[in-house]
Structures are given as C-alpha cells and as structure tokens.
Amino acid sequence: MSDSDGKKTLGLRGGSRPGNVKQSFSHGRTKNVVVETKRKRVVVPKPGAAKGGSGAAPSTSGSRRPAGISDAEMERRLKALQAAKAREAEEAAQREAEEKARAEERERRRAEAEAKEREQREAEERARAKAEEEERQRIAAEEAAKRAAAAPAPEAAKAERAAPNKPAPAATPRKSEREREQRPSRGKGRDDNRRSGKLTLGQATGGEGNRQRSMAAMKRKQERARQKAMGGSVEREKVVRDVQLPETIVVSELANRMAERVADVVKSLMQMGMMVTQNQSIDADTAELIIEEFGHKVTRVSDADVEDVIKEVEDKEDDLKPRPPVITIMGHVDHGKTSLLDAIRDARVVAGEAGGITQHIGAYQVTTESGTVLSFLDTPGHAAFTSMRSRGAQVTDIVVLVVAADDAVMPQTVEAINHAKAAQVPMIVAINKIDKPAADPTRVRTDLLQHEVIVEQMSGEVQDVEVSAVTGQGLDELLEAIALQAEILELKANPDRAAQGAVIEAQLDVGRGPVATVLVQNGTLRQGDIFVVGEQYGKVRALINDKGERVQEAGPSVPVEVLGLNGTPEAGDVLNVTETEAQAREIAAYREQAAKDKRAAAGAATTLEQLMAKAKEDENVSELPILVKADVQGSAEAIVQAMEKIGNDEVRVRVLHSGVGAITETDVGLAEASGAPIMGFNVRANASARNTANQKGVEIRYYSVIYDLVDDVKAAASGLLSAEIRENFIGYAQIKEVFKVTGVGKVAGCLVTEGVARRSAGVRLLRDNVVIHEGTLKTLKRFKDEVSEVQSGQECGMAFENYDDIRPNDVIEIFEREEVTRTLD
C-alpha cells in the first residue's frame, strides 16, 4: 500500500481513526471494510446554567407575600431560601469540578494507555526487525559455508592462510544462483514477502494462523481495551429504541427491531412459559411485554396504517379559494328533471335516454350569462334508483327539488326530500310544467307542508320558483335563486393539494376499459396522477369533461371521466391521489383483503343450527336465479336492489351475479350451470357468448328500460307460484228417500233445491249443517237415464263414490274447483 493514496495503517490506538482493511476468504474472495473507533462523548453542563436562574428569586418571592406573616418571619424565610440556593450552587460547582476531574483522569489514563500501547508496538517492531536481521545473517553464513565446501582444497587452504584471524566475508553468489534465489518458488506452500507491506485483520488483531477475526470481534476488543484503559469495567450505555409492533411478529424480527440477541429474546420467552423458536410468531401483547422487559418503547401499528397516507388534512384559511356549487336535480319520475336541465344547458339529453327516463347520473357544468359556473348532477327518479339519489345528495351543495305542477308530491318526491334532509343540504323547489292547463302550484306548496318543507310563499325559508322547461319561463329566476344560495353557503376549497373526489358513476367501456365519472371535491386532479379509489387503483391516462373534450386537469366541483383504472370501482367510492404507485397498490390490496375477510367472517359466523333452520325455511321457497349485466355500476346496483324486493314467502328472485360490461362466455357458462337467464341492461353479448348460449340453450334478454326488466322478472317469478284453488258453489239438493239398489248400493232420491247438480262436480254431505263426507258422485240419474246435470226444482238419484251412510233430510252441497293463477304484487 503506497503512502500517496491517503490511507492510514490500521491500529488499536484510541481516538476516531478510520482505516481500510482487506479481508480474505476462501476461494480467493476478498472484501474491503472500513474500521473506525470512536470515543465516548462526555456531556458537561455549562457553568452558568445553575447560577443564572437564581437571581430574580427573592424579588419574585417577595412580591408574593403570604397573608399573616411578619417581616421577621419573611426575612428569615428569604435568608433560608438564599442559603438553600447558595448551597445548590456550591453543590453544582462541586459536581462540575468532580466531573471535570474525572474527565481529566480519563483523558490521562487514555493517553497513558495509548503511550504504553505505542511503546509496546514499537518494541515489537524492533524485535521483529532484529529477528529478521539475524535470520538474514544466518542464511548468508550458511551459503558461504556451502560454497567453501564446494571449492578445491588448495584454494581453500590458501584462503585460510590469507585470513587466519578475520572472519570470512559473505561470498557473493553467482548471478544465476542469485536470480534463482530471488525468483519465488511456485509451490503451494511458498512463503514470499509480497503481501508483507499490507496489513490484514489477523495482523492488526495479533491473530495467528489462517483464521481472521470479524469486524464485530474487533470492535468488541477495542471496546474492552478502552474500558480497561479508563479503569474498571464500565457498562455500555443502553440504547432505548422505538419498536414498531404489528398484530403478530416473528421472534427473530422482534429481536432485530430491538437490536438484541435472538437467544436473549427466546430465553425471556421461555422464562415466561412460552417454548418458541426464533422462526415462530407471537402475538402483540406478548411481544409488548418482551419489549418493555428489555427497556424499549412500544409503538403499536396495524395493517390499516397503510391508509394513513390519505388521511384528511385540514386546509389553512389562506389556501381556500371559491369553488362552483354542486347542484343535484331530484324529484319523481316524469316530473321533468332532465328536461329542465336541458333547458338550462340548451342541450337534448332526454332524447338520448331510453324510454325518456333518466337511468344514469349525469354530471354537467353550465356557465350562466353572468359568468357563474354551476355543476349539475341529474339523478334518476325511478323507484329502483334510490341509492343513486342518495349518492347525489351526499356529494351535493344544493338540491333542486323538481315537482310537476299538474302531479304534485309523489313517492319519489318524498324520498328525495328525505335524502336532502339526511345530507343536511339546502333545498330549492322548482315547480315545473307551469305552462300546462292543469297546473296548480298552490297545491304543490300545500302538499310540501306535510313533509316539513315550507316555501317562502308559505312564510318559510325554502326558495320556490315556478318554471317551465318547454317555454323557458322562470329559468333565469331559478339560476338567480341557485346563485343566491351558493353565495350564502360561501363554498371554498383548496385547489393546490392532492385531489380528492367521489365516484358518481362507473362503467366498463369496450374500447377504453374501466371508466369512472368523478366529481372532484378538493384539490386538483391532473393527468398522470396516481390514485386509489375503493378497492381499485390506477394512473390518470386521460380526463374527459362533460362535453367530451380532453382536459389536462380538473379542479374542485368539476365532474370528469377518469381513464386508467385497473378495475371498475363501486359507485360512491372516494378517490384519493397518492404519491407513489406502490402506496396506491398497497392500499387497494389491503381494502380488497379486508372486504374478503368481512365476507368470510359473515359466512363463518353462521352456526350449524342456523344453517339447519335456514334450510328448513327455504324448503318450501321457490327461487328464480338470474344473472344481471349492466352498462354502468349504478344501474347494476339499482337492478339488484329491485330484484331483492320481488317475491314473497313462497318465491323469490336470487341474483347469482351482477356486473358491468358486455355479456361474456363466462357469464353464459355460469347461467348454464345454474339454469338461470341472463338479463342485459343496455349491454349486448359478444359473438362467442351468443354462439355458446345458442348451443347450450341459455336465454339472454336485452333491456333498455328498467320498468320492462322488473315487469318481466316479476312475471317469471309469478310463474313459480302454486295456483290458487277456488271453490264455486253451483247447487244444493235435499235427500227425500234412500233406496238400496243391487250392484250399486244405497242411492239417494234427491230434489235439487238450488242451482244445478253436475255429475263431474264435487259434493259434500251435510247433516245438521255439519260436513259428514266430501267426495265425488258415482252416478247421477234422472228417472232411469244417466245424465250429466240436473236443473233446480227437478228430482234425481245420486250415489256417492265409496260412501253409503246417507239418510233422509241430509243436504248435498255441489261445488266445482277452479285454479286461479297468482301474481306477485
């Protein structure tokens, strides 16, 4: 090792002295390591710390003089206080002096130890140099003796005579011999001095043989030497660590986090009565006892901590900026919600909806003539879309309740009022269809009073506007009312933070993959952002606004379609932007696992008795299995909820699977296995699925209006109901006489008193108005002829099938049974 490379020779002297050491291992492997020894830092308190705090004590204590104490007592107390403070100052000074003396003593001992170690090392070097010199002289003398023995006798004698008294100089070997001696031997056991200038760990630590000491062993030896030099064995200072403790932890990992030996941890566990190895897991409570026993601090963590990265952050008041209001239009079906929004947007949305009713949540932005930007959400009014209306109310600032002037308050109107009250958002009543002749806005206002909605004309606080989506009457007043309500609310958001929003709708598009309609609530969503939404995550590939244009970013209260998800999220999920994709993936995986565990726990909680009781209940219940595929998540959810409401104690509809996207071959396979039809709502089956369905006889039905789907499923479920048996009484006959006929038995001679007696009808025998027998007729005769029926007022003969106990004056009741097909309400 040259002197110019700036590296120092490794030694064991005190002080911070780094150096490089080259370790050698088997098979020619080497490793460069850095060896560094550090001195223990001694913290000495500042001299003025104790004295500085005692100056103002008398004045402050004197100013707070307790009541009822004399001047002499006060003076005595002050003197005692000053004496105590003086004593404290003296003790502090004494401690400081003792600490300084101890530090000087340690420095002196350290210096002595270093000097002693240096002298010892120098003595060892001198002894080694002397031994090498003696060895060199011995080898030279042996070489000279060999050459003298090989020389001729006369020359040797001459040489002896020439120098009888002085020692013979070392003979100079020939050049060939000198080269041969200098050339290293190529044997395995050669002992050359090529590495004599390099320092190994073995040489540094004084080790002998091929075994070299590890870095840890060397550090321990240096520590022992330092402690020995300072006098006595000083205990190493304990490092208290903050140990993060999950719900379960492996013993070896616990020891690693505490920086303790695994053997010590296992020993402590065994002393607690737990026979475990280093590879076994222990619970958090046991691990906490072990951590406290070793003197460390415990920090409990759980799997749910992965979601800490998306916790709510309170925005500063200075960062908040005004944002557009979010207005949700709600009301009963066919009351003109979408038409009213069309009139505001000057668009034609209704024409694009099947059946003229809204079946999706539409999100739009409108700029008024005054330049105010408004974000509108249009919700469906059909009864099946309850959850959609609920979602619309949760993310909105203002609810516009549309009520038709010619129809007044209807069931979904009441439901919308309840959603708005539950979400605690202000409401504006828009009385629509005011242009119709049958319009009666006063009736609407009166009906709203029953549901605690008091409009301004009724001396209330809720604004009401009379509008017409057809003529455009009152639209400006409606927009003014919305702007006034938004101004009162003072809506603000921070656009300069990580985006957060709510999924209004989600769908699986054939060309674009999973697409989510997101209403940004806080921050700004930009292209390229990594986000997590529910159990899905992704990176924003594109943002598309309500006009179908691609945008680079979306601020607060802006509805956009987001492309780039790895799966279809649930409508109503919250979107959060994360810093890295790894965080988003971890959060999504945790949520997915938590949902699986929840479903598994719900199934596992069922006991055997509960299973048997459920099986007994379902024994007499018929099920209609179906598969549902819809274009968007909200529609699928609404259909499933509508299916759950169909049925009674005898029959019910069971949705085997519901999803978003086209009908695939997998869906057809599941439908074939369960004998279920596939209901497609605004979706179609692909070519392979159609072929498979035709081969396997699976029925696929397509719908675009939810009314038709619900009605068809209801009709199919009604077909599983057992028919209702009704009895129609068609006549009564009274027995006048009983005859015995050979080969027939007893025959009743009867008079038909009411209605008609038929051969095919059922009969009951009544005695004193008590039913004695119920059965059928064996024969019905008029005179001697067999007839099919006998009219009222005529006499006939009747014989019962397998029954002979008939008496005069008994009454025969004649009835017919009719099967009536039942339907579900």
Side-chain angles (χ1 to χ4, degrees):
M1 186 159 51
S2 63
D3 296 334
S4 61
D5 58 1
K7 297 179 181 177
K8 297 182 180 180
T9 311
L10 180 67
L12 291 179
R13 290 171 297 186
S16 177
R17 190 173 290 214
N20 277 6
V21 173
K22 189 168 184 180
Q23 285 182 294
S24 299
F25 302 99
S26 60
H27 304 290
R29 293 181 294 119
T30 59
K31 179 182 177 184
N32 282 323
V33 294
V34 178
V35 179
E36 183 179 356
T37 60
K38 293 184 179 178
R39 294 177 182 172
K40 182 179 175 183
R41 184 178 176 186
V42 180
V43 180
V44 180
K46 293 181 181 179
K51 298 174 183 178
S54 60
S59 61
T60 56
S61 61
S63 63
R64 294 194 303 270
R65 177 173 175 175
I69 294 180
S70 62
D71 292 341
E73 178 66 20
M74 194 67 194
E75 188 176 357
R76 189 162 60 254
R77 288 190 180 188
L78 288 175
K79 285 182 179 178
L81 183 63
Q82 289 173 358
K85 290 190 175 179
R87 192 161 55 252
E88 286 179 6
E90 289 176 4
E91 289 175 357
Q94 186 177 356
R95 281 197 302 272
E96 186 181 342
E98 289 175 357
E99 183 65 31
K100 190 174 180 182
R102 280 197 296 271
E104 290 175 356
E105 180 66 18
R106 282 196 295 271
E107 287 293 331
R108 184 182 63 75
R109 289 182 178 177
R110 189 181 295 114
E112 288 179 359
E114 288 178 359
K116 187 177 180 181
E117 191 177 346
R118 191 163 49 250
E119 290 174 3
Q120 185 178 358
R121 191 163 53 251
E122 289 173 358
E124 288 176 357
E125 288 175 0
R126 285 197 299 273
R128 194 183 303 115
K130 186 177 179 182
E132 288 175 358
E133 182 65 28
E134 290 176 355
E135 182 68 18
R136 201 162 41 249
Q137 289 179 1
R138 185 180 61 77
I139 292 171
E142 288 178 358
E143 290 290 338
K146 287 179 183 177
R147 280 196 299 276
E155 290 183 7
K158 193 185 294 181
E160 288 176 6
R161 283 196 301 274
N165 296 325
K166 62 180 179 180
T172 304
R174 288 194 300 272
K175 184 178 181 182
S176 60
E177 292 177 358
R178 193 162 58 246
E179 287 177 355
R180 195 183 304 117
E181 288 169 6
Q182 289 175 357
R183 191 182 302 127
S185 63
R186 298 190 180 276
K188 287 186 179 179
R190 70 189 184 196
D191 186 17
D192 56 0
N193 293 325
R194 286 189 305 161
R195 295 180 59 85
S196 60
K198 296 183 180 180
L199 187 64
T200 64
L201 270 176
Q203 293 172 351
T205 54
E208 294 180 0
N210 294 328
R211 185 167 179 246
Q212 296 174 345
R213 305 187 69 174
S214 66
M215 289 290 297
M218 188 159 171
K219 284 182 179 179
R220 287 195 296 270
K221 184 174 180 182
Q222 288 179 341
E223 187 69 22
R224 284 196 298 270
R226 187 178 295 111
Q227 289 174 1
K228 187 176 179 182
M230 293 172 67
S233 60
V234 181
E235 285 293 327
R236 202 184 320 183
E237 187 177 347
K238 180 79 174 178
V239 179
V240 178
R241 302 178 186 275
D242 289 325
V243 181
Q244 289 192 344
L245 182 60
E247 292 163 5
T248 58
I249 189 169
V250 181
V251 174
S252 57
E253 176 63 20
L254 177 62
N256 188 25
R257 293 186 183 188
M258 293 192 298
E260 303 286 351
R261 294 199 309 165
V262 179
D264 295 340
V265 177
V266 172
K267 183 179 178 183
S268 296
L269 285 166
M270 287 184 174
Q271 287 172 352
M272 292 169 61
M274 293 184 65
M275 301 296 144
V276 294
T277 63
Q278 64 176 358
N279 297 321
Q280 286 180 273
S281 297
I282 57 175
D283 61 289
D285 295 332
T286 307
E288 186 172 354
L289 292 174
I290 294 295
I291 293 168
E292 290 173 352
E293 184 179 334
F294 279 88
H296 300 290
K297 295 178 182 177
V298 181
T299 304
R300 285 282 190 117
V301 295
S302 66
D303 295 337
D305 290 344
V306 297
E307 297 203 30
D308 288 348
V309 295
I310 57 172
K311 276 190 173 177
E312 283 289 332
V313 179
E314 287 295 328
D315 295 314
K316 296 179 182 176
E317 192 66 33
D318 300 339
D319 298 335
L320 299 177
K321 296 177 183 176
R323 66 171 177 84
V326 179
I327 304 105
T328 299
I329 298 184
M330 303 174 82
H332 193 71
V333 65
D334 282 339
H335 275 204
K337 298 181 296 299
T338 307
S339 301
L340 183 63
L341 185 55
D342 280 351
I344 295 172
R345 293 180 62 221
D346 195 18
R348 300 297 297 166
V349 177
V350 168
E353 289 282 2
I357 64 168
T358 302
Q359 302 178 105
H360 308 85
I361 285 188
Y364 314 102
Q365 269 205 324
V366 176
T367 304
T368 62
E369 292 180 359
S370 60
T372 308
V373 179
L374 307 175
S375 296
F376 281 97
L377 297 182
D378 183 18
T379 62
H382 187 265
F385 294 97
T386 302
S387 56
M388 277 197 189
R389 280 192 296 280
S390 174
R391 274 198 298 279
Q394 286 167 7
V395 298
T396 192
D397 302 313
I398 302 168
V399 167
V400 174
L401 183 67
V402 179
V403 187
D406 60 343
D407 206 11
V409 175
M410 299 298 283
Q412 270 67 60
T413 312
V414 178
E415 191 181 286
I417 292 170
N418 294 334
H419 286 318
K421 287 181 178 177
Q424 295 182 346
V425 291
M427 193 185 312
I428 298 172
V429 177
I431 304 174
N432 196 16
K433 302 185 182 181
I434 201 69
D435 56 314
K436 286 198 171 185
D440 186 2
T442 308
R443 179 188 165 202
V444 172
R445 295 185 180 100
T446 310
D447 287 356
L448 288 172
L449 288 173
Q450 301 173 15
H451 306 286
E452 300 175 3
V453 177
I454 308 168
V455 297
E456 288 179 341
Q457 287 200 11
M458 296 283 182
S459 304
E461 296 182 354
V462 178
Q463 298 182 73
D464 65 313
V465 184
E466 296 180 4
V467 295
S468 171
V470 177
T471 63
Q473 176 188 343
L475 293 181
D476 293 336
E477 289 84 349
L478 178 61
L479 292 176
E480 283 177 14
I482 292 171
L484 176 63
Q485 188 66 56
E487 193 175 339
I488 294 170
L489 292 174
E490 294 184 354
L491 303 169
K492 291 183 179 181
N494 180 11
D496 303 322
R497 55 168 285 181
Q500 180 181 346
V503 177
I504 303 298
E505 195 57 273
Q507 64 185 27
L508 186 63
D509 194 284
V510 176
R512 301 184 296 171
V515 180
T517 303
V518 176
L519 179 69
V520 181
Q521 294 172 306
N522 222 335
T524 302
L525 185 64
R526 297 179 176 84
Q527 190 170 335
D529 281 350
I530 296 163
F531 62 90
V532 60
V533 50
E535 298 174 23
Q536 314 298 335
Y537 71 95
K539 185 176 183 180
V540 179
R541 288 207 328 262
L543 295 172
I544 301 170
N545 64 9
D546 59 308
K547 299 179 182 66
E549 302 165 350
R550 292 188 69 156
V551 292
Q552 293 298 315
E553 60 181 31
S557 301
V558 178
V560 285
E561 281 189 342
V562 178
L563 279 69
L565 293 114
N566 71 326
T568 309
E570 296 287 331
D573 285 344
V574 178
L575 179 142
N576 293 96
V577 171
T578 59
E579 293 180 2
T580 63
E581 189 174 349
Q583 286 179 349
R585 191 185 302 111
E586 190 177 5
I587 294 167
Y590 164 71
R591 289 177 177 173
E592 187 177 0
Q593 187 61 42
K596 280 183 184 175
D597 294 345
K598 190 175 180 181
R599 289 193 294 269
T606 308
T607 61
L608 185 60
E609 290 79 6
Q610 290 171 331
L611 283 173
M612 296 295 288
K614 188 168 180 11
K616 194 171 183 182
E617 286 174 11
D618 297 346
E619 191 175 355
N620 299 321
V621 178
S622 301
E623 281 190 345
L624 174 64
I626 63 169
L627 268 78
V628 175
K629 292 301 284 287
D631 56 341
V632 295
Q633 190 74 40
S635 297
E637 185 182 356
I639 292 168
V640 171
Q641 290 176 355
M643 295 300 105
E644 288 173 352
K645 293 176 184 175
I646 296 174
N648 54 21
D649 295 339
E650 296 179 43
V651 64
R652 65 181 172 214
V653 179
R654 183 181 173 201
V655 180
L656 297 175
H657 171 68
S658 66
V660 176
I663 299 168
T664 61
E665 210 168 339
T666 309
D667 300 325
V668 175
L670 177 59
E672 185 213 4
S674 54
I678 300 174
M679 307 294 181
F681 186 76
N682 286 333
V683 294
R684 294 291 180 267
N686 55 36
S688 60
R690 282 198 302 272
N691 295 336
T692 308
N694 291 334
Q695 291 171 6
K696 297 182 177 179
V698 175
E699 183 183 8
I700 300 177
R701 292 193 175 192
Y702 301 120
Y703 299 91
S704 56
V705 179
I706 197 168
Y707 290 132
D708 301 337
L709 190 151
V710 173
D711 291 344
D712 280 7
V713 173
K714 197 177 285 186
S718 300
L720 297 176
L721 288 171
S722 57
E724 184 180 351
I725 308 297
R726 289 184 185 171
E727 290 184 357
N728 296 324
F729 296 102
I730 59 174
Y732 288 92
Q734 188 172 10
I735 300 176
K736 297 294 187 181
E737 194 65 49
V738 178
F739 308 96
K740 288 188 179 178
V741 179
T742 306
V744 178
K746 288 184 177 181
V747 176
C750 307
L751 173 66
V752 180
T753 57
E754 186 181 335
V756 64
R758 286 199 181 100
R759 169 79 174 77
S760 58
V763 292
R764 290 192 186 95
L765 183 64
L766 306 180
R767 187 173 295 158
D768 298 330
N769 290 325
V770 177
V771 177
I772 301 299
H773 170 70
E774 180 178 336
T776 57
L777 291 176
K778 188 193 319 184
T779 179
L780 177 64
K781 287 190 177 186
R782 171 99 170 124
F783 301 110
K784 291 186 178 181
D785 300 326
E786 189 78 29
V787 293
S788 58
E789 65 177 36
V790 177
Q791 296 296 327
S792 174
Q794 296 178 352
E795 293 182 345
C796 62
M798 294 184 190
F800 290 89
E801 192 81 50
N802 301 325
Y803 191 75
D804 284 340
D805 184 16
I806 51 178
R807 301 175 189 177
N809 296 323
D810 286 351
V811 177
I812 298 173
E813 185 180 72
I814 304 126
F815 62 90
E816 285 184 342
R817 285 192 175 93
E818 178 188 10
E819 286 191 356
V820 180
T821 305
R822 295 163 62 199
T823 57
L824 291 168
D825 295 332

